[in-house]
Amino acid sequence: MRVDSCRGDALHSFVIGRHTCPAFLVSLTAALLLWPALALGADAPAFTSPPTVQGDAVVGATLTGVATWTGDPAPTAKYQWRRCPATGGSCDQIADATAATYVVTTADLGFRLGVRITLKNKVDTVNAQSVTTAVVVAAAPPGPTPTPTPTPAPSPTPTPTPKPDLTPDPTPASATSFTEPVAPIVDIKARATLLRPFPIVRIRGYYKRGGVRVTLLSVNAPRSAHVTARCVGSGCPVRLVRVASAPARLRAFERFLPAGTVLQVRVISAGRIGKYASFLIRAHSAPLRHDLCLMPGKSKPAPCPTR
């Protein structure tokens, strides 16, 4: 009786003499190729939040490419900064701009900037690119140096006057339902240029899968203050909101915002120290908040003066 070794399930086929079942060889080859990945539980890299660019599109400012990802083994990340036309179109790579940060130069004036992040491990390679920044502008020139006022000669018989109370009024901290707010510490000597009452930026909401649902984003400040709110990231409902006077409620951003979205709020008034607050939306945790000050004549936020 002749035994046909290639009939039936290929996994149960076998070799007799010089006759080899093709199905058996195909199955064996596929199993050998897949075995290392299955045995080690390797996963291809994947972005859990898309790349975004943090920082101001101003010459001299430092931009940072931010993203989160998964993969097993942990993938390596490569960055490539790109220069894009202001009106849209294809972007060009910036030579030697392959770090996570990039300092804006005069060559970027009139362009938008973005970053492409490439993830690679032994399973696969993936890449994604960020939404571009606003059009790059030049840094504001420094303000004029004030002429010092001469010190008057003391009176021969000065009359003592009571010293003014130099204890600053308590400034309420910016409120948020996610984390404890941080109130800026302001130098007493700077009270003459401080925007008063000092602006309060509040954010409130609740967690949702992949981001947060913002229910309140408001600014409480003097009527003379101008409010600008910028959104960076692929999940932005709008890019820019301007309010001519405070107080203001920024309803355009009171909705679901995915992880990786960045909100930047600026409150300024001529000749006064203003307020800067940024919020990085994260999944399963409160937004990461940064509070800084905006000095008169300066566009880049800076730490508030300490006592």
Side-chain angles (χ1 to χ4, degrees):
M1 179 178 66
R2 179 170 176 258
V3 178
D4 188 351
S5 63
C6 294
R7 302 178 64 183
D9 189 351
L11 295 177
H12 294 83
S13 299
F14 53 91
V15 180
I16 298 180
R18 297 181 179 178
H19 180 68
T20 304
C21 297
F24 174 78
L25 292 177
V26 172
S27 299
L28 179 60
T29 302
L32 291 175
L33 291 174
L34 291 175
W35 180 83
L38 294 175
L40 298 177
D43 291 326
F47 287 93
T48 55
S49 66
T52 59
V53 177
Q54 293 185 8
D56 295 326
V58 178
V59 173
T62 299
L63 304 181
T64 303
V66 178
T68 58
W69 54 77
T70 60
D72 186 13
T76 58
K78 294 185 177 180
Y79 298 80
Q80 178 59 63
W81 290 90
R82 309 188 313 149
R83 187 181 293 125
C84 310
T87 57
S90 60
C91 303
D92 296 327
Q93 294 184 359
I94 303 175
D96 300 325
T98 56
T101 59
Y102 175 72
V103 178
V104 184
T105 68
T106 54
D108 302 317
L109 281 171
F111 291 90
R112 299 176 185 270
L113 298 173
V115 65
R116 172 180 288 163
I117 301 179
T118 301
L119 306 177
K120 182 179 180 180
N121 66 8
K122 68 179 182 180
V123 181
D124 200 0
T125 300
V126 298
N127 64 73
Q129 58 191 30
S130 69
V131 174
T132 56
T133 65
V135 176
V136 175
V137 297
T145 303
T147 302
T149 303
T151 304
S155 176
T157 55
T159 302
T161 56
K163 294 183 178 180
D165 183 7
L166 296 181
T167 303
D169 297 334
T171 301
S174 302
T176 172
S177 61
F178 300 102
T179 57
E180 287 296 324
V182 178
I185 301 175
V186 181
D187 190 346
I188 294 176
K189 297 180 181 179
R191 289 186 64 187
T193 58
L194 182 67
L195 184 58
R196 300 197 60 89
F198 200 67
I200 303 170
V201 181
R202 292 189 175 94
I203 187 170
R204 185 168 63 238
Y206 54 88
Y207 309 142
K208 292 193 71 174
R209 183 177 182 179
V212 300
R213 172 64 168 87
V214 178
T215 58
L216 174 69
L217 182 60
S218 65
V219 177
N220 187 14
R223 293 179 59 86
S224 61
H226 301 278
V227 180
T228 302
R230 185 183 301 277
C231 182
V232 179
S234 58
C236 293
V238 295
R239 293 294 176 190
L240 186 67
V241 173
R242 288 190 175 95
V243 181
S245 63
R249 183 167 176 178
L250 306 175
R251 298 181 183 273
F253 303 113
E254 293 179 357
R255 59 190 65 204
F256 173 78
L257 298 177
T261 304
V262 179
L263 298 177
Q264 301 172 341
V265 180
R266 294 169 175 261
V267 187
I268 61 173
S269 183
R272 301 290 181 179
I273 297 177
K275 169 80 172 181
Y276 172 87
S278 69
F279 305 92
L280 171 61
I281 304 301
R282 301 182 293 181
H284 310 299
S285 60
L288 182 62
R289 176 172 186 154
H290 291 286
D291 289 277
L292 297 170
C293 282
L294 295 168
M295 301 303 174
K298 303 291 185 180
S299 61
K300 185 177 181 179
C304 294
T306 56
R307 298 184 190 279

